[in-house]
Amino acid sequence: MEIRPILSTLLRSKTAPLLIAAQVALTLAIVCNAVYIIKDRLATSSRPSGADESNSFVMAFSAARPIGDIESMQRRDLEALRGIPGVAAAAWTNQVPLGRSGWNTGGINTDPTANQPTDIQSAQYMSGDSLIDAFGLKLVEGRDFLPEEITVHDPEKEAPPLHHALITRALAEQLWPEESRYAGRQFYNGNGPEATPITVVGVIEQLQTPWAPVNPLRAESSMLLPRRYLDDYSQYIVRTEPGQRAAVMREAEKTLLALRSDRVLRFTRTMDQVRDRRYAGERLMAGLLIGVTAFLLLITASGIVGMSSLWVNQRRKQIGVRRALGARRVDILRYFLVENLLISSAGVLAGLLLALLLNDLLVRELSLPRMPVEYLVGGMVFMWILGLGSVLSPAIRAAAVPPAVATRTA
């Protein structure tokens, strides 16, 4: 089949082909970037936190009136929690991964004499108990804290210095990018002669921060500090034996509420619920984009079908003449398919440029990584298939028109 007659027909009636091409271009640009964002957000929301989420829950209490024996309260609470059947480990903690609030520190460095502070940041998990056991973390190097390394901090008094820390592999790789072993090394939280050296006693495979930003290094830049903080806001992380979490949660609430009457239970949440709260926005965005993408594809396909049906009705006489001159049904079908392929190809080429420009905007505004070329290639192929599939039914109807009927009713 010659392309020239098809191009000649399209040039004589430019409006409809241009509208279809523009619709294809806009759809390709939006769909490619939308699918990329959807996959990125869903992948982000499913990243492992490093904790044993399926068997863990967190509970928090606030003081109803001033509490004077905070340390003994924490110890008694933990003793009661550990005595509940099905509890594998429990600890007081100032924050939990994906919890959306907590302690953070910046300017961490390995040379306190440097003129410029680094941009390395880290979440600070504090506890007087083993968070490795309570969170179910994987220790890949070194050891857990020793009892004599744990300090007690009363917020009404000056904080005692910290000399030991457990850090995640992600934080270690930022501090010592050329090294592979980190236990025994020292870092400083701040600059100047007063900066206190902190010795790394162990390295954790993975532990996300409470905020878990998109950047993977920042999301897993965490440290554990051996400090019991005497705050009347008490938060406990409890890890249970497999399958025991629901029963332990009910018993833990009853047990701790019965211990004291000067505090109120703020919440009890599974770590799965903590994850859902953290990533509710990402999942909502993904759902909205899926709906918008599906609607846009439906509109584009409907536009191609409607326009193709209009072309068939407008060219019934032309179809009849060609059939009378010997054109077969397959020739008519192929004509409309090739015509649509040319229009779609023009739209695809323009859509590729729009997709790249839109992705560049998203990279700058949302700090997304650049879209891989696979999304563009997949989008091109999909739009060609969508265009051919949409025009197929009108083309079949056109090929089925008898020559006599077409020339008589045109």
Side-chain angles (χ1 to χ4, degrees):
M1 171 182 287
E2 291 189 11
I3 304 298
R4 184 175 298 175
I6 299 177
L7 293 176
S8 178
T9 301
L10 293 177
L11 290 175
R12 284 197 301 269
S13 179
K14 304 182 185 69
T15 303
L18 286 175
L19 288 175
I20 294 296
Q23 194 171 16
V24 169
L26 186 61
T27 300
L28 175 62
I30 294 176
V31 167
C32 285
N33 283 280
V35 171
Y36 177 56
I37 293 175
I38 290 168
K39 184 178 179 181
D40 179 77
R41 287 294 181 257
L42 293 179
T44 298
S45 65
S46 62
R47 296 178 303 183
S49 67
D52 183 10
E53 295 182 31
S54 60
N55 296 308
S56 300
F57 67 92
V58 58
M59 57 192 314
F61 293 86
S62 289
R65 55 180 179 270
I67 298 176
D69 56 339
I70 295 176
E71 184 174 359
S72 62
M73 177 187 70
Q74 291 181 5
R75 293 184 183 277
R76 189 179 179 191
D77 287 346
L78 290 169
E79 182 181 357
L81 287 171
R82 291 164 184 160
I84 298 174
V87 172
W92 177 93
T93 180
N94 65 317
Q95 59 196 33
V96 295
L98 311 179
R100 302 188 300 171
S101 66
W103 295 44
N104 188 68
T105 184
I108 305 172
N109 62 84
T110 57
D111 181 9
T113 63
N115 294 326
Q116 295 294 330
T118 69
D119 62 351
I120 301 176
Q121 299 182 4
S122 174
Q124 291 183 317
Y125 289 86
M126 296 188 297
S127 181
D129 312 285
S130 175
L131 288 180
I132 290 181
D133 291 339
F135 284 138
L137 305 176
K138 182 180 179 182
L139 186 65
V140 295
E141 185 185 347
R143 58 170 175 81
D144 202 347
F145 297 121
L146 301 176
E148 59 267 24
E149 294 170 345
I150 297 173
T151 62
V152 178
H153 180 200
D154 183 344
E156 300 296 328
K157 302 176 183 178
E158 185 177 353
L162 288 164
H163 299 286
H164 305 87
L166 285 154
I167 65 175
T168 57
R169 188 189 296 275
L171 178 56
E173 290 175 349
Q174 294 178 73
L175 290 170
W176 300 284
E178 305 299 327
E179 305 295 336
S180 59
R181 305 291 294 179
Y182 311 104
R185 297 185 179 276
Q186 291 185 330
F187 66 91
Y188 299 82
N189 187 6
N191 294 81
E194 296 182 358
T196 302
I198 300 176
T199 301
V200 176
V201 300
V203 179
I204 304 161
E205 175 66 29
Q206 186 178 41
L207 176 61
Q208 285 189 342
T209 72
W211 311 275
V214 174
N215 185 296
L217 279 179
R218 292 192 179 276
E220 297 181 16
S221 185
S222 303
M223 67 172 72
L224 307 186
L225 300 174
R227 170 167 285 173
R228 185 180 300 280
Y229 191 76
L230 303 184
D231 190 359
D232 57 10
Y233 176 82
S234 301
Q235 185 170 238
Y236 302 101
I237 179 70
V238 181
R239 184 168 61 86
T240 70
E241 301 293 344
Q244 299 296 310
R245 184 171 65 180
V248 170
M249 286 177 65
R250 292 191 296 269
E251 187 62 29
E253 287 186 1
K254 291 190 297 182
T255 299
L256 294 196
L257 285 173
L259 288 179
R260 308 180 67 105
S261 61
D262 55 357
R263 59 184 179 178
V264 294
L265 178 64
R266 291 284 301 274
F267 61 81
T268 303
R269 298 188 187 115
T270 66
M271 285 302 296
D272 297 323
Q273 291 172 328
V274 173
R275 171 178 288 276
D276 289 342
R277 287 167 60 89
R278 162 60 186 88
Y279 289 117
E282 280 78 359
R283 289 171 177 164
L284 176 61
M285 178 184 289
L288 290 174
L289 286 176
I290 290 173
V292 169
T293 300
F295 181 73
L296 185 59
L297 291 174
L298 178 62
I299 292 298
T300 301
S302 300
I304 295 175
V305 170
M307 194 63 67
S308 300
S309 298
L310 179 61
W311 289 343
V312 169
N313 290 330
Q314 290 177 342
R315 288 185 277 184
R316 289 174 67 87
K317 185 174 182 179
Q318 176 188 345
I319 295 170
V321 171
R322 292 197 60 195
R323 290 294 308 280
L325 294 175
R328 299 167 299 171
R329 290 187 176 184
V330 68
D331 295 325
I332 302 299
L333 179 64
R334 184 172 57 188
Y335 178 92
F336 282 100
L337 292 179
V338 171
E339 183 181 65
N340 177 267
L341 185 61
L342 292 175
I343 297 172
S344 298
S345 297
V348 163
L349 292 176
L352 289 178
L353 179 60
L354 285 176
L356 292 173
L357 293 174
L358 180 58
N359 182 246
D360 185 67
L361 176 64
L362 294 174
V363 168
R364 287 186 281 108
E365 297 297 328
L366 301 181
S367 300
L368 288 173
R370 293 205 173 273
M371 179 170 56
V373 69
E374 294 83 22
Y375 287 84
L376 296 174
V377 174
M380 291 169 55
V381 174
F382 184 82
M383 291 309 300
W384 277 323
I385 294 174
L386 179 68
L388 292 175
S390 300
V391 80
L392 187 60
S393 178
I396 291 175
R397 291 199 305 271
V401 175
V405 173
T407 53
R408 185 175 64 250
T409 58

